[in-house]
C-alpha cells in the first residue's frame, strides 16, 4: 500500500509540471539569453530531449528571469 501511495503521489506531481515550451516565436539572443522566451541557448537546443521534470525546472528559471531574478 505504501509503495502504491508513493507512486500515486509522484504521478500526480508529474502531472502538475508545466512542460509546455515558453517559446513565443520572438528569438533575439542577448548575453546568452533569448529575450522572447528567457531560455539559454543550451536550454533551447536541448528542449526536445529533456524530461518533464527538467522542462518544469527550466520553466521555473524562465519565470525567475522574466521577473529579474537571473539564475542560469
Amino acid at each position: 500500500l505504501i509503495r502504491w501511495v508513493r507512486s500515486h503521489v509522484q504521478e500526480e506531481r508529474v502531472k502538475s509540471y508545466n512542460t509546455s515550451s515558453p517559446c513565443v516565436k520572438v528569438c533575439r539572443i542577448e548575453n546568452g539569453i533569448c529575450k522572447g522566451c528567457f531560455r539559454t541557448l543550451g536550454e533551447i537546443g536541448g528542449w526536445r530531449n529533456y524530461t518533464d521534470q527538467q522542462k518544469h525546472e527550466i520553466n521555473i528559471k524562465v519565470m525567475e528571469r522574466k521577473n529579474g531574478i537571473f539564475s542560469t
Side-chain angles (χ1 to χ4, degrees):
L1 178 64
I2 291 173
R3 268 189 248 157
W4 180 86
V5 170
R6 285 183 183 155
S7 172
H8 185 69
V9 167
Q10 181 63 23
E11 286 176 25
E12 289 304 311
R13 212 178 279 151
V14 169
K15 285 179 188 175
S16 67
Y17 285 162
N18 176 6
T19 60
S20 59
S21 172
C23 182
V24 295
K25 310 284 191 262
V26 178
C27 305
R28 195 175 90 231
I29 305 298
E30 289 182 21
N31 299 320
I33 303 282
C34 175
K35 294 301 175 183
C37 69
F38 292 89
R39 289 182 291 173
T40 66
L41 288 174
E43 291 166 347
I44 293 167
W47 189 259
R48 291 174 149 204
N49 300 317
Y50 292 138
T51 64
D52 286 350
Q53 182 174 354
Q54 290 170 313
K55 290 177 181 179
H56 177 72
E57 290 169 3
I58 290 169
N59 280 331
I60 290 171
K61 290 180 184 179
V62 163
M63 292 302 293
E64 291 172 347
R65 292 176 189 139
K66 281 184 182 180
N67 292 319
I69 306 166
F70 293 98
S71 63
T72 55

